[in-house]
Amino acid sequence: MGLEFYLAPNNMTADTEDYMAISSNTNSYSIEDVFDHMTREGSTITKAEALASFEEISQGIINLIRQGNAVVTPLFNIRSGISGVFEDEDDNFDPNRHQVRINLSVGSRLRPITAEIDPQKIKARERQPDLEYFYDDATDTKNDVITPGRGARIVGELLKFDEDDPTQGIFFVNKDDASETPVDESILKNKPGELIFIVPTLPAGIYRLEVRSIIFNTTELRTGALSHELTVS
């Protein structure tokens, strides 16, 4: 699979006819996944050895950067800098006006890889809430059980909604009679990637979980649904 992308209007330029490429690859890998790949069958290094080496390398880089140094590696380059405006040459660093920043750039071994990535244009998909999983705090389960009156969490993308708009929000839809129960006043966290809330009172049954919102830069209400059915016993 190559680098999938679709085109969307470019609001950053004066030309209203311009479009920009939006990458849509959804696979994201952690350092643990990298270690699993490194230590596959036939490898001469164990996962424990890989973890230990990574920690030592990471701490070494952190120590050098902390001292104000730059670190140049084949994969990436790191250096620190200072942002903010100084009033004159006698002005000093003021944490209220200035900030130390860490800057990263591509290293020599990664730079040529761009020529090997195959861009593949796909049809633009409608931007809507994307529910990855539902976590039930009381049972410590994902995409399975709902516990009314207890904490719950939804993880995904484009989840944030306007809490003052009753058409937007988190809704539990009963599979039998299609009745809807919104989460009204128990929203603890409302972020694009995560929603934390208290589950409302729900009768026993099977439910579809939906998040409805008006996405930024759009005007119509859009709905995203969890692909798994949830149960209140």
Side-chain angles (χ1 to χ4, degrees), residues 45-61:
I45 185 173
T46 67
K47 188 171 183 178
E49 291 171 336
L51 282 164
S53 298
F54 177 77
E55 181 57 33
E56 291 295 327
I57 293 171
S58 299
Q59 196 57 55
I61 292 174

Side-chain angles (χ1 to χ4, degrees), residues 41-111:
E41 186 176 354
S43 173
T44 58
I45 185 173
T46 67
K47 188 171 183 178
E49 291 171 336
L51 282 164
S53 298
F54 177 77
E55 181 57 33
E56 291 295 327
I57 293 171
S58 299
Q59 196 57 55
I61 292 174
I62 290 171
N63 290 339
L64 289 169
I65 297 299
R66 185 181 286 126
Q67 296 168 15
N69 300 300
V71 174
V72 178
T73 79
L75 295 181
F76 54 82
N77 308 316
I78 311 175
R79 63 181 68 249
S80 54
I82 297 174
S83 64
V85 176
F86 290 81
E87 297 175 356
D88 53 46
E89 63 180 9
D90 295 322
D91 197 4
N92 290 312
F93 181 88
D94 181 349
N96 294 319
R97 295 182 291 121
H98 311 119
Q99 186 175 8
V100 175
R101 297 187 180 277
I102 304 297
N103 303 308
L104 286 84
S105 60
V106 178
S108 59
R109 287 190 63 178
L110 273 183
R111 202 173 295 118

Side-chain angles (χ1 to χ4, degrees), residues 45 56 103 131 138-139 156 158 161 180 188 194 198 207 227:
I45 185 173
E56 291 295 327
N103 303 308
L131 287 66
T139 58
L158 300 177
F161 57 88
E180 300 179 353
L188 307 178
E194 184 180 43
I198 304 300
Y207 290 84
S227 58

